Amino acid sequence: MLKFSSPEQEVRYEKLQGLREKGVEPFVHTFNRTHPIGPICEKFAHLEGEMTSPEPVTIAGRLMAKRGHGKATFGNVMDESGSIQYYANLDTLGEDNYNQLLHLDMGDIIGVTGLVFRSKKGELSIRVASYQLLTKALHPLPEKYHGLQDKELRYRERYVDLIVNEDVRKVFQTRSKIIRNIRQFLDNQGFMEVETPVLHSIYGGAAARPFTTFHNDLSQSLYLRIALELHLKRLIVGGFEKIFEIGRVFRNEGVSFKHNPEYTLLELYQAYADYNDVMALTETLLSTLVKDATGSYVLSYQGRDIDFKPPFKRLTLKQALLEYAKVDMDADEEILRQKAASLGLDISQKPLRGQLVQFIYDKEVEDQLIQPIFIIDYPWETSPLAKRKRGNPNLVERFELIISGMEIANAFSELNDPIDQHARFEDQMKAKAAGFEDAHEMDEDFVNALTYGMPPTGGLGIGIDRVVMLLTDSTTIRDVLFFPHMKTKEKE
């Protein structure tokens, strides 16, 4: 039997039993409503005085408030689209039905039928002609005025958070709209949406540790994908020229305000393009999203105005390190090691020059970049899937878009030389053997795909959750994920 943790839950359970004894089913199968609440409020906003709707409406939703205990009572019902008051009186419903209405609990889900009118206090209301209990809530809602404030409990019990916190519901409605707008933008640009496998036999496409699983029938270890890249580029080889995927990726790494073990990633690839073309596409996409959401290119995030009007500023990684970290990425390697050590970075595994540069940048530079800025041209050691920079083979044609100290996008002129790609994978395998767990695996099939010829290609990855953080002024990624990962709660 279900165990209850409070006397109020016991009382609600007794009410449920009492209803069943009277032949009232507290968990009905279906209910026909005529309107969501939001459209009713819009349609009949003009009602005044003694005016009523020309015919009854039927709504369904959660009982969020009750007032009055005499011969008349008021309450508020909320559905996904909005909230409306109801008014009921003893004479209309009869004694038994009226008393049952009085004994409903906050959180119960009910259906209500009646004419729409405006109360004496000016509130749009439904005069109850009939009602029906649709679902009995056995757990009370949080106290009205303080809501669900415990952040950890809000994430663990998101279903309660969504019931009682309107602002939280709006964040996720905005998230849905953002993703819809991204799809529409890319569709207008001629991109085709595709789907690629979540289970990979070889993980790759990013520097990250995977989650491992096992296929019993095939007796084969598999990995949840850490990126979408390598399968999407196979499709470019196959002849598709503009493709994208929005999907979940999984990385077995730390949790922070901007990291979750699984998150939503947009990746797109465009044939006959390079990272300059992708930069232009990226700033157009993001500025369009901001303009659609706010009506201007300026977005307020955590008390700062961020200007998304294109073009965004561009700065080479070398320039960024000189300006913000006071170090030259072309300096002697020992100087870079000393700088890394002075910042408290772990260099015990003797990282390569390019890795040292990346460590220093991550520690000292990224957090200082607030306005949208493309950091371009990275050491080749940090980007084994990117094409070498024209005129400087020690660098690759790569950019990261940083906004408010967060990496929002990462992009390359994609490496399409199978000989160079194989050599880069071999370098990664040596790094893995030396203890760098995030290094790429050798993917012979991907190299084989490149031997058939991949056209010049620009690729892009955008963290959808971080974009939603910006557009909803959210401080942590947990606020924009329905169900963020949480540590297992210890049993009391």
Side-chain angles (χ1 to χ4, degrees):
M1 179 179 168
L2 201 61
K3 292 183 179 180
F4 300 111
S5 58
S6 72
E8 185 172 348
Q9 286 179 277
E10 293 281 1
V11 169
R12 289 182 178 224
Y13 178 70
E14 290 172 5
K15 286 184 179 181
L16 182 150
Q17 295 295 86
L19 289 168
R20 282 183 165 154
E21 289 172 5
K22 293 178 180 178
V24 177
E25 174 52 51
F27 301 101
V28 305
H29 285 73
T30 187
F31 183 77
N32 293 321
R33 64 178 180 177
T34 60
H35 300 79
I37 291 171
I40 287 176
C41 294
E42 293 175 7
K43 183 176 181 179
F44 298 110
H46 65 282
L47 294 181
E48 295 178 357
E50 300 296 321
M51 297 171 62
T52 65
S53 58
E55 56 188 28
V57 299
T58 299
I59 63 165
R62 192 177 297 274
L63 181 59
M64 298 301 293
K66 296 194 306 175
R67 301 173 295 283
H69 299 284
K71 293 185 177 182
T73 183
F74 295 87
N76 285 84
V77 178
M78 178 185 75
D79 70 5
E80 181 185 36
S81 64
S83 176
I84 194 169
Q85 177 176 270
Y86 68 73
Y87 162 77
N89 65 60
L90 175 63
D91 293 338
T92 301
L93 293 179
E95 188 171 353
D96 285 345
N97 283 334
Y98 184 74
N99 286 334
Q100 284 188 30
L101 178 63
L102 292 179
H103 282 83
L104 292 177
D105 293 303
M106 256 89 80
D108 288 351
I109 298 173
I110 63 174
V112 173
T113 298
L115 295 175
V116 183
F117 73 106
R118 194 167 294 279
S119 71
K120 292 180 180 179
K121 292 186 176 181
E123 186 168 351
L124 202 66
S125 308
I126 296 177
R127 183 175 289 112
V128 181
S130 64
Y131 74 93
Q132 182 180 357
L133 174 64
L134 306 179
T135 300
K136 183 66 187 172
L138 298 179
H139 201 301
L141 296 176
E143 194 271 328
K144 176 181 177 182
Y145 292 102
H146 297 96
L148 187 63
Q149 294 188 322
D150 183 317
K151 278 224 165 188
E152 181 168 324
L153 187 59
R154 285 179 51 206
Y155 299 141
R156 289 189 186 279
E157 298 186 0
R158 181 68 88 187
Y159 38 90
V160 183
D161 194 23
L162 291 167
I163 293 171
V164 299
N165 290 324
E166 183 179 3
D167 289 344
V168 174
R169 291 197 303 276
K170 288 181 178 178
V171 165
F172 289 102
Q173 289 166 342
T174 300
R175 179 190 174 101
S176 178
K177 183 179 179 181
I178 290 167
I179 294 174
R180 185 166 65 248
N181 288 347
I182 289 172
R183 284 193 163 99
Q184 184 64 58
F185 175 89
L186 293 175
D187 184 65
N188 291 341
Q189 294 288 324
F191 283 84
M192 179 179 77
E193 185 170 9
V194 299
E195 293 178 300
T196 59
V198 173
L199 291 174
H200 290 182
S201 57
I202 298 173
Y203 62 91
R209 284 173 290 176
F211 290 95
T212 305
T213 187
F214 190 80
H215 192 292
N216 293 329
D217 200 45
L218 296 177
S219 189
Q220 180 184 17
S221 290
L222 295 169
Y223 308 94
L224 296 179
R225 64 187 180 189
I226 60 174
L228 315 175
E229 181 166 349
L230 298 185
H231 282 88
L232 290 175
K233 289 199 283 193
R234 285 172 169 92
L235 298 182
I236 295 290
V237 171
F240 294 108
E241 296 180 357
K242 298 176 82 171
I243 56 174
F244 78 95
E245 181 172 6
I246 297 174
R248 286 293 219 195
V249 295
F250 309 85
R251 298 186 181 180
N252 198 348
E253 53 191 22
V255 175
S256 74
F257 78 95
K258 57 183 178 181
H259 292 99
N260 193 68
E262 60 172 302
Y263 64 96
T264 302
L265 184 64
L266 160 69
E267 286 201 26
L268 65 83
Y269 293 85
Q270 180 175 345
Y272 311 109
D274 66 4
Y275 76 147
N276 293 302
D277 300 306
V278 176
M279 259 187 276
L281 180 69
T282 303
E283 64 191 4
T284 302
L285 168 59
L286 288 172
S287 62
T288 299
L289 291 176
V290 171
K291 189 76 178 289
D292 287 346
T294 68
S296 78
Y297 289 121
V298 178
L299 175 75
S300 177
Y301 181 70
Q302 299 302 296
R304 287 181 168 134
D305 284 344
I306 300 179
D307 190 349
F308 283 80
K309 186 175 181 179
F312 299 165
K313 184 177 179 180
R314 288 154 171 75
L315 200 65
T316 66
L317 181 60
K318 179 180 175 69
Q319 291 169 329
L321 285 163
L322 283 170
E323 182 174 343
Y324 294 98
K326 310 305 179 189
V327 65
D328 187 346
M329 65 182 275
D330 295 326
D332 184 81
E333 191 167 321
E334 184 57 34
I335 293 176
L336 294 176
R337 290 187 185 281
Q338 291 173 7
K339 178 68 174 180
S342 72
L343 295 173
L345 296 168
D346 181 9
I347 55 173
S348 59
Q349 292 179 316
K350 296 183 178 180
L352 299 173
R353 165 184 283 278
Q355 293 166 325
L356 281 169
V357 168
Q358 187 72 54
F359 292 167
I360 295 168
Y361 166 81
D362 290 343
K363 176 73 173 181
E364 195 76 347
V365 178
E366 189 170 273
D367 287 348
Q368 300 187 62
L369 306 176
I370 304 303
Q371 297 300 322
I373 184 170
F374 291 115
I375 303 298
I376 65 173
D377 301 340
Y378 286 69
W380 70 269
E381 301 98 324
T382 65
S383 309
L385 298 166
K387 211 171 182 70
R388 293 183 191 269
K389 182 171 175 61
R390 286 158 277 196
N392 188 346
N394 292 321
L395 302 177
V396 292
E397 294 190 354
R398 170 187 174 187
F399 74 75
E400 287 186 356
L401 173 62
I402 312 300
I403 304 173
S404 194
M406 294 189 293
E407 175 197 332
I408 300 299
N410 186 28
F412 313 145
S413 295
E414 301 294 338
L415 179 56
N416 61 345
D417 177 347
I419 299 169
D420 192 4
Q421 184 64 83
H422 193 272
R424 302 267 203 103
F425 278 147
E426 288 181 331
D427 287 336
Q428 289 289 301
M429 295 298 289
K430 291 175 185 176
K432 186 177 287 289
F436 290 95
E437 296 181 15
D438 291 351
H440 287 62
E441 294 281 319
M442 172 65 76
D443 191 333
E444 295 282 6
D445 182 73
F446 176 65
V447 175
N448 184 60
L450 293 182
T451 65
Y452 284 87
M454 185 175 85
T457 298
L460 169 69
I462 291 180
I464 296 294
D465 308 300
R466 293 182 185 178
V467 172
V468 177
M469 285 174 64
L470 291 171
L471 287 170
T472 58
D473 198 17
S474 299
T475 58
T476 170
I477 196 170
R478 290 182 170 189
D479 287 339
V480 300
L481 298 172
F482 274 127
F483 303 105
H485 184 75
M486 306 287 289
K487 286 184 179 179
T488 302
K489 190 175 182 181
E490 294 183 6
K491 293 183 179 180
E492 297 178 354

